[in-house]
């Protein structure tokens, strides 16, 4: 089959690679001039364990399976990663109850190695930490996400696939049993495909609306939740990722480490209506307050605005968490068309597993 994947983020690349390795002729259309310039280069680069997501959800299934696949992929392709492990810390008894239920949910989801520990055991692992107890996840790690995307691109091209850069998809329609797709850019025009995967991240809804036969009423609402990061100027004091108990909309202002062991903090949750990528320095005040709950030793003046990313959410503040949404032919009735909506965290961790599911729908 001639397969078009719209978007060369980590998910689009993983889908394109899986489709090409299955023997399809694959082209990826990417609006920008390089791979992974969207949300895929604006995240925490965490390989998540999989305990945050409700049993039976796509996020639970693909995170746990995708994590195992990702570690194997990294080993086979020489992609740098470090299994630092992570502590989700509880500040008080109410939060202890929350991490206990996270532990139960995680075990139900098949996350291996989860262990509830007391405050002093947590301090034994991380002496600067102050908490009433913690959930230890030894499988959580950090990945060089650009190295990973380069490896996906390499596999895609080895299997005969190609990426067309600066080639935005502007519309599509059914014509003689195929998808006629319009492209902008200097190589623009209309070309035909047997199957189309919409993996356009923050633009997935607008791409879906540009497909004439796809009912506009099926396009889910999109809500933008910016996550801001602050860099830490001093020497690292933690050797694991440290997360507070999750907050509505995100996982809480956490400590992440890069592959060199340097610390940074974030992301927070800032509900926005337009895409902007500036970090407001005034948000530092909230960061100091939140971080000092578990690290009272955070020095004044040590945080500097860093980067931010935008979560393509399907739900707003005070609404129940939405799952990933895969709208495939079995749901909408149009052959060979698959939309990926709301692929926020843990989309990076889930990418290889999500890709297998999506490719399974292409000839339906
Ligand atoms: C703050 C934050 C922290 C996160 N942390 C983590 C984490 O630690 N671990 C984890 O597993 N996940 C994390 N995630 C989630 C993860 O980053 C995303 O799920 C993942 O990057 C989504 O990839 P994607 O390919 O779907 O989208 P994107 O990376 O956004 O790619 C979409 C691509 O489509 C292109 N495009 C758009 N419109 C068109 C068009 N019309 N034609 C052609 N191309 C088009 C864009 O240019 C872009 O390159 C985080 C997300 C955020 C926002």
């Amino acid at each position: 089959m001639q397969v078009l994947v719209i978007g060369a983020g980590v998910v689009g690349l993983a889908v394109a690679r899986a489709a090409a390795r299955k023997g399809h002729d694959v082209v990826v259309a990417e609006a920008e001039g390089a791979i992974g310039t969207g949300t895929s280069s604006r995240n925490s680069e965490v390989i998540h364990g999989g305990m945050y997501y409700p049993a039976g959800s796509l996020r639970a299934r693909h995170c746990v399976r995708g994590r195992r696949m990702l570690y194997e992929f990294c080993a086979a392709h020489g992609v740098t990663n470090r299994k630092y492990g992570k502590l989700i810390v509880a500040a008080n008894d109410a939060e202890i109850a929350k991490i206990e239920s996270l532990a139960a949910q995680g075990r139900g989801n098949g996350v291996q190695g989860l262990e509830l520990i007391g405050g002093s055991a947590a301090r034994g692992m991380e002496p600067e930490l102050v908490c009433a107890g913690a959930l230890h996840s030894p499988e959580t790690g950090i990945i060089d996400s650009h190295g990973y995307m380069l490896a996906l691109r390499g596999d895609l091209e080895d299997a005969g696939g190609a990426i067309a850069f600066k080639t935005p998809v502007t519309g599509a329609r059914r014509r003689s049993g195929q998808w006629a797709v319009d492209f902008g850019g200097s190589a623009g025009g209309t070309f035909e495909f047997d199957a189309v995967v919409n993996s356009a991240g923050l633009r997935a809804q607008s791409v879906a609306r540009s497909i004439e036969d796809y009912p506009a009423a099926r396009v889910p609402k999109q809500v933008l939740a910016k996550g801001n990061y602050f860099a830490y100027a001093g020497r690292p004091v933690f050797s694991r990722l440290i997360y507070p108990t999750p907050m509505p909309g995100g996982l809480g202002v956490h400590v992440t480490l890069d592959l060199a062991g340097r610390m940074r903090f974030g992301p927070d949750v800032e509900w926005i209506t337009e895409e902007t990528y500036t970090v407001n320095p005034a948000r530092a005040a909230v960061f100091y307050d939140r971080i000092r709950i578990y690290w009272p030793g955070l020095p004044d003046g040590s945080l500097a605005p860093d980067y931010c990313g935008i979560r393509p959410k399907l739900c707003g503040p005070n609404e129940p968490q939405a799952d990933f949404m895969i709208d495939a032919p079995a749901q909408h009735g149009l052959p060979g068309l698959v939309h990926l909506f709301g692929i926020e965290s843990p989309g990076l961790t889930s990418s290889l597993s999500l890709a297998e599911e999506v490719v399974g729908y292409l000839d339906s």
Side-chain angles (χ1 to χ4, degrees), residues 6-13 29-32 34-48 167-170 199-203 207 225-227 229 243 267 308-312 324 343-350:
I6 306 171
V10 71
V11 175
L13 288 169
E30 168 53 54
E32 302 297 331
I35 60 172
T37 61
T39 308
S40 297
S41 57
R42 297 176 163 278
N43 57 55
S44 303
E45 297 193 298
V46 174
I47 302 178
H48 281 295
T167 307
V169 168
T170 55
S199 183
L202 290 163
R203 301 267 182 279
V207 166
K226 190 157 97 167
Y229 292 85
Y243 281 55
C308 63
I310 300 176
R311 305 170 181 89
F324 293 156
I343 311 296
E344 51 156 320
S345 193
L348 166 63
T349 311
S350 305

